[in-house]
Amino acid sequence: MRLEKCWFCSSTVYPGHGIQFVRNDAKIFRFCRSKCHKNFKMKRNPRKVKWTKAYRRVHGKDMTQDSSFEFERKRNRPERYDRNLAENVLKAIPKIDKIRVTRDERHHKNRMKGKKEKLQKEAAKELEQGISLVKAPSALRKDPSLTLPQKIKVSVSQRQSEDNNAMEE
Amino acid sequence: MVQYNFKKITVVPNGKDFVDIILSRTQRQTPTVVHKGYAISRLRQFYMRKVKYTQQNFHDKLSTIIDEFPRLDDIHPFYGDLLHVLYNKDHYKLALGQINTARNLIGKIAKDYVKLLKYGDSLYRCKCLKVAALGRMCTVLKRVGPSLAYLEQVRQHMARLPSIDPNTRTILICGYPNVGKSSFINKITRADVDVQPYAFTTKSLFVGHTDYKYLRYQVIDTPGILDRPFEDRNIIEMCSITALAHLRAAILFFLDISGSCGYSIAQQAALFHSIKSLFMNKPLIIVCNKTDLQPLEGISEEDRKLVMEMKSEALKTVIGQGGEATSDDSVLLTMSTLTEEGVISVKNAACERLLDQRVEVKMKSKKINDCLNRFHVAIPKPRDQKERPPCIPQAVLEAKAKEAAEKEKRKTEKDLENENGGAGVYSMNLRKHYILANDEWKEDILPEILDGHNVYDFIDPDILRRVEELEREEGIRQAEEENDEFEIDGAELTPEQQAALAEIRKKKSLLIQQHRIKKSNAESRPTVPRKFDKDKQYTSERMGRQLSKLGLDPSLAIQRMRSRSVSRRGRKRDRSPEGADGGDRMDVDGDTPGKKQRLSRSRSRSRSVSRPPHEVVPGEGLKDSAQKIKAIKLAKKSVKKRNKEARRGEADRVIPTLKPKHLYSGKRSTGKTDRR
């Protein structure tokens, strides 16, 4: 029993899931679900489909080469069983996983490095350009800071008196 | 071998059937639909295909005929002669030759017409060419019709010929008609040949099989031969002559002692002497039949003399063979088929003579070495009385003994299985025989999958070392990372600025939304100017709110607005704020125009009242109520269901004549004309 990788999206295919397609030249394509299978039948290139791992690797969104990938390799020759070795392996797998995950995160952080600065600059520009939508020019002249103006309260009584005056006339 | 497969020749159809078969096959197996609008090359190809297909079929069928009928020169001369006798070699060859010519002619016709078809320029022309080609081919075949009929008859007759193997042991029976040949063959074989008192009952060769010394002999019964010059013989006699001439067989010449066949012994002896040339190199036995009617001793002197002459001739053949001069028992025999005495001895004598002759011939031929082992098996003669058994080394013997013992003692897995409940209950422990460094590990279970990884992919003898390296590397990298963790923060917005930015964004999205709605509805809805504001959005309060939000003081603006509205209104309306008048003025709070004064729709009322249908609302775009009524009518009419079922409606009633004459004039035959 083996966990395989989906040919299209590179996610793991657990036993009992997915479809396997064998082509006439004996190449085997495994798919994790019908979404991947249908995309394959449509002859879509996974390197161009945004949500697949292949795309992410090709476009540098995810880490490609790393020494932590070297540990997991399909071995064709079985090794004779050794209890100590088995113990070590079972202990090592979570460690390797953890390291891989931290490296992934680091990669992501590196990718996102300049983002905050960029966002701040954009926000500042937008604020400066769009202040006229929320603040009248006269108010801006009076108070040149780029903030919302002070709300002016109009009293109701003033209005009533106006009305009464008109009626009396 | 070809000679035995006369039964396997395919049926030769007669001329008309032949043509029918081929033409209908062409019709079925080639495409049939063609239109004159097709490309010319396609039309040509269509018709060429038909012509070629027909020619091919003719060729195939005629070739099978020619191939399957035997060539008289290639088969055994016995069969060749037999067929010649029966069917006339020349006629046979001519017929096959004609078929061959027909085949060639058809080929030529097809070739010529295909050449012509290549240049056909219209559907009609191509079709005519094809019709002509097929017609000519069929005519050729029709001319050949009689040959086909003849060949079919020949085939039918050939299929019924007896299957005679010319090379095996054969006994031939000949003699005058009615001497008892068929009765003899009936006696010794299982053949059931017609026996009748009239001559020429047997008209063709018949074969039976008999056994002698575990060998099978063919016995061939021939039709009777009369004593005539060779040229005068009829076909039936020729059959037997052919058989006599070509088959290497033992010959039984039958003699009727009693003369009840209608021919005297003298005549029979004369026949004997005329055909004795055919008895060269063949074991000959003279059989005197019908001894129950007339025993051999009782015949007259001349007859006896003749018989002895024949016997001496027969003896000559024996001596000619190189065999010992036996007694005349094996040359001249008597028997009676009726009482069955002597029949078996005749058969035995014949078989024995034949066998001897054949063995001798075989001995002399070169093929003797192939069959020598059938005659004699050589065994070396023992030199002395010493025993010489085979030699087996001692070690081998011991090993064999040990193995045998072990096989009995060892307990197999099968035994274990049977002890523990059989095949379905017990499953063997496959791990029992594992070879591991430590035997305690035999029953260990290793998981195959862990955390979404295949464990077998990670197994590596030096995995510990590598993991340590990896962790070290990771530690280094983490340290480096901590060093350059600081990011320049830059100018961050204050919370008030952030609030302003949020407000700006909200406003922008609202504007975009409204624009989108307007754009999508631009074609289907008319843009109503703001003064006909049905939803009452544009109020002074709203204006005030918006202005104050922008940071301006709205009070002046509101004042100005109110003052203007006040001046326009007039006194009357002040007194009755619920009064209505059709007129455009600035819409202030709550007043709406309306025709009827009693209907008030001011906001002070808690219940709303619906409008009458003809009341014109200023935002709708209609001039006055008359126009509105017309518009409503048109709308209702357009929604009415049309009568598409072609039923009569009210408008379809027609009275062709309002005053038909027959109702308004004339007398009645019965009754009064009071009422019209």
Side-chain angles (χ1 to χ4, degrees):
Chain A
M1 206 163 50
R2 261 190 79 85
L3 299 178
E4 303 287 353
K5 289 262 173 260
C6 173
W7 184 84
F8 197 80
C9 65
S10 316
S11 63
T12 49
V13 187
Y14 274 80
H17 290 260
I19 286 183
Q20 204 165 292
F21 165 62
V22 182
R23 212 164 51 178
N24 277 351
D25 60 357
K27 182 155 163 56
I28 300 180
F29 296 88
R30 300 187 158 97
F31 305 106
C32 58
R33 55 202 196 284
S34 64
K35 177 177 179 182
C36 303
H37 187 46
K38 284 180 182 157
N39 269 307
F40 173 78
K41 284 197 279 190
M42 272 195 271
K43 295 189 173 186
R44 285 206 182 140
N45 188 354
R47 291 178 196 223
K48 293 197 180 171
V49 179
K50 287 263 170 62
W51 49 274
T52 56
K53 200 85 173 140
Y55 174 94
R56 292 188 67 82
R57 291 232 173 91
V58 157
H59 288 73
K61 317 271 182 201
D62 275 350
M63 199 167 56
T64 7
Q65 280 174 335
D66 194 45
S67 52
S68 60
F69 292 145
E70 304 290 315
F71 285 85
E72 185 168 8
R73 204 183 51 191
K74 184 163 185 210
R75 281 152 232 272
N76 290 319
R77 198 184 290 165
E79 296 264 343
R80 201 177 283 277
Y81 177 74
D82 186 352
R83 192 183 272 184
N84 307 321
L85 177 61
E87 236 183 273
N88 294 335
V89 163
L90 288 173
K91 286 208 191 117
I93 291 178
K95 287 189 204 164
I96 297 168
D97 250 351
K98 203 162 70 150
I99 291 174
R100 203 192 67 234
V101 163
T102 38
R103 287 193 184 176
D104 263 329
E105 287 171 1
R106 201 180 301 137
H107 179 269
H108 180 79
K109 204 152 67 141
N110 277 335
R111 204 152 64 87
M112 297 293 153
K113 239 194 220 160
K115 189 130 187 223
K116 207 165 165 192
E117 207 182 312
K118 200 162 88 165
L119 283 174
Q120 281 171 0
K121 268 205 277 203
E122 279 176 17
K125 191 159 144 210
E126 196 178 347
L127 183 61
E128 204 194 308
Q129 285 179 346
I131 195 66
S132 52
L133 285 174
V134 293
K135 201 166 185 182
S138 53
L140 189 61
R141 237 180 298 126
K142 261 189 262 167
D143 171 25
S145 74
L146 295 172
T147 53
L148 288 170
Q150 302 283 349
K151 263 206 169 166
I152 298 177
K153 292 251 160 73
V154 180
S155 54
V156 182
S157 55
Q158 194 187 19
R159 213 182 103 204
Q160 277 293 31
S161 61
E162 288 277 333
D163 221 356
N164 290 335
N165 284 342
M167 273 188 74
E168 274 169 17
E169 258 178 291
Chain B
M1 283 206 268
V2 178
Q3 30 247 89
Y4 302 105
N5 276 350
F6 292 157
K7 300 196 203 302
K8 291 246 183 90
I9 305 176
T10 44
V11 180
V12 178
N14 71 353
K16 220 155 63 112
D17 283 346
F18 205 143
V19 163
D20 278 341
I21 291 170
I22 300 278
L23 287 182
S24 72
R25 185 186 282 190
T26 311
Q27 173 79 353
R28 271 181 297 123
Q29 303 283 7
T30 52
T32 51
V33 181
V34 73
H35 300 295
K36 70 173 187 248
Y38 289 173
I40 187 65
S41 56
R42 189 172 166 185
L43 292 172
R44 285 182 194 146
Q45 223 183 16
F46 176 83
Y47 284 112
M48 275 200 281
R49 184 171 171 181
K50 286 206 185 273
V51 170
K52 277 193 217 160
Y53 189 83
T54 313
Q55 182 262 332
Q56 187 64 39
N57 274 341
F58 271 127
H59 182 92
D60 287 340
K61 277 203 176 302
L62 294 172
S63 302
T64 45
I65 293 174
I66 293 171
D67 292 334
E68 283 188 351
F69 273 91
R71 285 216 207 127
L72 296 180
D73 305 320
D74 288 348
I75 54 181
H76 194 273
F78 163 63
Y79 273 106
D81 263 351
L82 188 64
L83 294 179
H84 171 55
V85 160
L86 291 169
Y87 315 127
N88 192 0
K89 189 160 65 173
D90 298 327
H91 198 174
Y92 180 85
K93 278 191 182 171
L94 263 174
L96 286 178
Q98 273 194 353
I99 305 276
N100 195 23
T101 342
R103 184 176 64 171
N104 294 339
L105 279 176
I106 289 175
K108 273 208 204 104
I109 293 170
K111 219 169 28 176
D112 291 336
Y113 275 90
V114 163
K115 266 196 223 152
L116 285 177
L117 266 168
K118 275 203 272 204
Y119 301 104
D121 49 1
S122 73
L123 176 111
Y124 180 67
R125 216 170 288 236
C126 289
K127 186 173 180 177
C128 286
L129 284 170
K130 164 225 164 203
V131 166
L134 294 195
R136 276 178 71 174
M137 287 192 227
C138 295
T139 327
V140 164
L141 210 77
K142 255 199 289 194
R143 280 206 313 259
V144 162
S147 297
L148 289 171
Y150 167 75
L151 282 172
E152 173 60 17
Q153 288 205 335
V154 163
R155 182 198 74 89
Q156 282 179 356
H157 197 273
M158 264 204 289
R160 292 202 205 100
L161 287 179
S163 52
I164 299 173
D165 184 357
N167 295 325
T168 183
R169 303 159 285 270
T170 323
I171 298 176
L172 211 51
I173 312 175
C174 59
Y176 250 85
N178 249 356
V179 295
K181 306 187 284 293
S182 307
S183 331
F184 177 67
I185 196 174
N186 280 346
K187 285 283 180 287
I188 55 172
T189 69
R190 279 201 67 188
D192 195 12
V193 189
D194 249 357
V195 176
Q196 298 284 351
Y198 60 88
F200 288 104
T201 318
T202 312
K203 292 197 247 307
S204 65
L205 301 172
F206 284 96
V207 186
H209 297 269
T210 181
D211 296 317
Y212 177 72
K213 281 193 183 168
Y214 308 110
L215 291 171
R216 192 141 260 231
Y217 287 77
Q218 281 186 129
V219 186
I220 300 183
D221 179 23
T222 65
I225 316 170
L226 295 170
D227 189 15
R228 287 204 278 216
F230 189 75
E231 303 74 34
D232 291 347
R233 296 205 186 275
N234 59 24
I235 295 176
I236 304 173
E237 294 172 322
M238 282 309 292
C239 280
S240 18
I241 300 290
T242 316
L244 280 171
H246 291 286
L247 294 175
R248 220 164 37 101
I251 304 188
L252 295 172
F253 187 84
F254 269 54
L255 206 51
D256 183 357
I257 305 283
S258 64
S260 56
C261 61
Y263 306 98
S264 67
I265 297 184
Q267 287 171 311
Q268 296 180 42
L271 171 67
F272 179 83
H273 289 297
S274 62
I275 60 173
K276 67 181 175 204
S277 55
L278 293 170
F279 300 153
M280 286 281 118
N281 294 332
K282 298 183 190 143
L284 175 63
I285 297 179
I286 303 182
V287 180
C288 300
N289 201 9
K290 304 192 190 174
T291 48
D292 52 312
L293 295 171
Q294 167 83 290
L296 185 59
E297 290 69 32
I299 52 174
S300 65
E301 261 313 307
E302 303 119 36
D303 294 339
R304 169 150 292 186
K305 217 173 37 183
L306 291 166
V307 172
M308 289 307 139
E309 263 179 56
M310 288 199 281
K311 197 182 90 173
S312 58
E313 281 289 338
L315 267 173
K316 268 195 230 157
T317 63
V318 175
I319 297 166
Q321 267 180 356
E324 314 85 56
T326 49
S327 60
D328 47 22
D329 277 350
S330 65
V331 181
L332 180 67
L333 296 162
T334 59
M335 69 168 200
S336 166
T337 47
L338 197 63
T339 57
E340 292 190 37
E341 66 174 284
V343 170
I344 308 290
S345 52
V346 166
K347 172 189 127 186
N348 289 346
C351 295
E352 191 70 44
R353 283 279 296 280
L354 183 62
L355 192 60
D356 288 337
Q357 195 222 19
R358 280 175 78 97
V359 166
E360 242 189 79
V361 168
K362 272 230 173 81
M363 291 284 209
K364 288 185 198 151
S365 75
K366 288 186 206 144
K367 290 193 201 162
I368 188 64
N369 299 321
D370 297 338
C371 30
L372 201 56
N373 56 351
R374 285 190 231 152
F375 295 118
H376 183 58
V377 176
I379 301 176
K381 270 200 259 195
R383 196 168 54 175
D384 51 19
Q385 302 298 347
K386 193 168 161 189
E387 271 253 343
R388 293 186 177 88
C391 171
I392 306 173
Q394 190 62 20
V396 170
L397 281 172
E398 282 172 5
K400 271 201 183 157
K402 203 165 74 172
E403 204 183 284
E406 216 182 64
K407 237 184 187 166
E408 290 170 22
K409 274 197 294 177
R410 190 178 67 186
K411 189 172 192 187
T412 58
E413 285 292 331
K414 193 86 181 158
D415 295 334
L416 200 59
E417 186 183 73
N418 289 332
E419 273 174 29
N420 290 340
V425 178
Y426 171 81
S427 56
M428 112 177 224
N429 185 6
L430 295 160
R431 294 166 175 258
K432 242 190 344 188
H433 299 292
Y434 274 9
I435 305 168
L436 296 173
N438 186 346
D439 278 340
E440 290 175 348
W441 300 344
K442 273 190 191 171
E443 302 295 325
D444 264 3
I445 303 172
L446 179 66
E448 295 179 33
I449 294 170
L450 182 66
D451 290 343
H453 299 286
N454 294 309
V455 173
Y456 292 134
D457 290 346
F458 281 86
I459 293 182
D460 193 3
D462 45 334
I463 193 169
L464 266 182
R465 181 183 56 85
R466 288 171 67 195
V467 170
E468 272 177 33
E469 257 181 55
L470 188 70
E471 288 187 325
R472 226 184 313 127
E473 217 186 292
E474 187 66 19
I476 295 170
R477 277 204 208 173
Q478 268 189 344
E480 278 177 16
E481 203 191 304
E482 278 170 15
N483 289 340
D484 29 67
E485 259 244 320
F486 307 108
E487 242 187 66
I488 310 155
D489 235 348
E492 264 220 38
L493 295 175
T494 62
E496 296 89 36
Q497 284 180 330
Q498 275 178 2
L501 185 61
E503 192 62 37
I504 290 171
R505 286 186 176 152
K506 204 162 85 177
K507 200 93 196 262
K508 271 195 190 166
S509 75
L510 262 173
L511 283 173
I512 291 170
Q513 251 182 31
Q514 281 173 1
H515 172 76
R516 284 191 180 147
I517 291 173
K518 205 159 84 171
K519 200 167 75 162
S520 69
N521 286 342
E523 284 179 12
S524 54
R525 289 223 191 127
T527 27
V528 182
R530 199 180 270 206
K531 62 182 178 172
F532 301 126
D533 159 39
K534 223 161 58 146
D535 301 324
K536 289 190 275 264
Q537 288 180 324
Y538 302 107
T539 59
S540 59
E541 277 181 1
R542 189 161 173 251
M543 187 180 77
R545 275 200 299 270
Q546 285 180 339
L547 284 175
S548 63
K549 257 213 258 183
L550 282 176
L552 299 166
D553 183 13
S555 42
L556 278 177
I558 292 178
Q559 257 181 26
R560 191 167 57 235
M561 193 178 75
R562 279 177 207 271
S563 67
R564 278 198 69 191
S565 76
V566 163
S567 66
R568 270 182 168 203
R569 248 197 257 161
R571 238 169 255 193
K572 226 186 195 181
R573 282 174 214 121
D574 282 348
R575 271 185 239 129
S576 53
E578 294 121 26
D581 192 309
D584 49 349
R585 35 171 234 271
M586 258 209 298
D587 209 11
V588 198
D589 324 320
D591 294 16
T592 46
K595 214 171 195 175
K596 301 196 172 102
Q597 289 194 3
R598 27 191 164 93
L599 295 169
S600 54
R601 274 161 239 102
S602 69
R603 274 198 223 121
S604 56
R605 291 254 168 161
S606 54
R607 271 177 57 202
S608 60
V609 187
S610 56
R611 304 171 207 272
H614 48 258
E615 192 186 316
V616 178
V617 181
E620 274 181 347
L622 293 161
K623 187 166 63 173
D624 53 10
S625 66
Q627 199 185 52
K628 187 163 182 186
I629 288 168
K630 199 164 176 199
I632 289 171
K633 268 204 183 147
L634 279 174
K636 282 194 182 162
K637 245 197 187 170
S638 73
V639 190
K640 224 194 258 186
K641 191 160 188 239
R642 279 179 63 190
N643 174 18
K644 288 194 205 162
E645 294 168 16
R647 286 181 197 224
R648 256 163 156 255
E650 302 131 12
D652 295 321
R653 184 158 59 121
V654 169
I655 301 173
T657 38
L658 284 169
K659 286 182 137 206
K661 188 172 175 192
H662 69 284
L663 294 177
Y664 283 91
S665 70
K667 293 194 182 181
R668 293 202 182 138
S669 53
T670 53
K672 294 199 257 181
T673 20
D674 274 5
R675 299 174 289 271
R676 278 206 191 265

